[in-house]
Amino acid sequence: MIPQAKQWLSEARRIAVLTGAGVSAESGVPTFRGPGGLWRTYRPEELATQGAFARDPKLVWEWYDWRRSLIARVDPNPGHSALAALEDRSPEFTLITQNVDGLHERAGSRRVHRLHGSIWRVRCTECCAETTDDRVPLPEIPPRCGCGALVRPGVVWFGEPLPATEWMAAERAAKTCDLFIVVGTSAQVYPAAALIPMAAQAGARIIEINMEDTPLSGVAGLSLRGKAGEILPQLIS
Ligand code: OAD
């Protein structure tokens, strides 16, 4: 199927890519739902909701601080690099990610639409000032803003809306691309997963790259089973 996928890539004029935790798995970042996945060990409602933060900001920040330390120690893998190279050589290319780890940017992707925010951004819960804070570990947990209020991670939690501009850009790309590549996502979290049928309905060819089937594999014209860090470099070679 790789030659067929390469053919589709060469015929595409507008390419959009949606990535999930699987693209960072080979870097050593745990996924959420697979073996060793974060949501197999931790309960999202205790760590990734506004209610959890209101109840125990220290616990929530300790968990994010642990994840930040883990991510700071790893490097982008050949899958991230292949997507950065694809952006360089494609006339119209949109990278949409559900990941908060910043590895696409570190691999050289220039324009990344982050649907779920960034683990390296922090936002004041009172004055809403948003900044980048990449100190690892954080010197104070929970961290505080200059105005004295608590600062929260700049990520999207369960029950929160996606950042409007990022979502609009993602929707536009899904509806106007002719090739939509879905990499390393379980396609279970909405609205991000809705981009896949949206692109298909608008007439795009869909390639899915994943270790296993997902609920939306049936929408894909081509399903490439295996590791993103091995398949993506082959596609662009
Ligand atoms: P999941 O953990 O749900 O799914 C990861 C997917 O990657 C699975 O389908 C795996 O089969 C696949 N996978 C694992 N290793 C892979 C590899 N080396 N190459 C290719 N595929 C691989 O992660 P997401 O779909 O990203 O949201 O999860 C979506 C959202 O749920 C996350 O952004 C996060 C989480 O709750 C928020 O925190 C808001």
Side-chain angles (χ1 to χ4, degrees):
M1 283 191 218
I2 296 274
Q4 175 76 75
K6 288 179 81 149
Q7 173 78 22
W8 282 12
L9 258 181
S10 68
E11 289 168 5
R13 292 180 48 244
R14 293 175 168 181
I15 300 171
V17 179
L18 171 68
T19 65
V23 80
S24 295
E26 289 153 80
S27 293
V29 182
T31 62
F32 292 94
R33 295 175 180 78
L38 294 173
W39 297 152
R40 298 241 176 146
T41 314
Y42 303 98
R43 289 159 58 88
E45 58 274 27
E46 283 169 11
L47 295 164
T49 62
Q50 284 182 16
F53 189 69
R55 270 192 306 278
D56 198 341
K58 187 164 178 285
L59 175 77
V60 170
W61 261 117
E62 278 168 356
W63 190 65
Y64 277 94
D65 197 47
W66 167 71
R67 283 178 63 199
R68 286 159 56 103
S69 310
L70 194 155
I71 293 165
R73 282 198 303 269
V74 306
D75 291 312
N77 66 59
H80 296 108
S81 303
L83 290 174
L86 191 57
E87 177 178 359
D88 279 345
R89 69 176 209 205
S90 306
E92 247 191 274
F93 182 87
T94 306
L95 179 56
I96 308 156
T97 190
Q98 298 166 86
N99 299 346
V100 297
D101 54 31
L103 291 179
H104 283 306
E105 290 87 340
R106 281 176 55 198
S109 288
R110 289 188 304 273
R111 279 188 38 248
V112 185
H113 295 289
R114 293 190 297 251
L115 295 182
H116 294 163
S118 166
I119 204 160
W120 305 113
R121 301 281 290 171
V122 298
R123 187 166 72 247
C124 177
T125 51
E126 285 294 329
C127 72
C128 294
E130 193 171 321
T131 52
T132 296
D133 185 343
D134 53 11
R135 291 173 297 171
V136 167
L138 283 165
E140 182 195 17
I141 289 185
R144 290 195 175 266
C145 175
C147 78
L150 279 179
V151 153
R152 60 161 282 176
V155 301
V156 175
W157 281 329
F158 287 96
E160 293 184 322
L162 302 191
T165 18
E166 301 299 276
W167 174 251
M168 282 188 308
E171 237 185 354
R172 195 178 324 118
K175 286 179 177 166
T176 56
C177 67
D178 40 39
L179 179 64
F180 195 74
I181 307 175
V182 187
V183 189
T185 177
S186 60
Q188 289 183 39
V189 173
Y190 285 77
L195 295 168
I196 306 166
M198 203 183 284
Q201 273 155 26
R205 288 167 160 169
I206 314 281
I207 300 176
E208 181 184 62
I209 301 171
N210 200 307
M211 306 279 284
E212 52 192 39
D213 275 353
T214 72
L216 292 179
S217 294
V219 176
L222 273 180
S223 290
L224 307 179
R225 290 285 160 261
K227 294 183 174 176
E230 292 171 6
I231 294 176
L232 283 167
Q234 287 180 56
L235 283 194
I236 65 148
S237 68

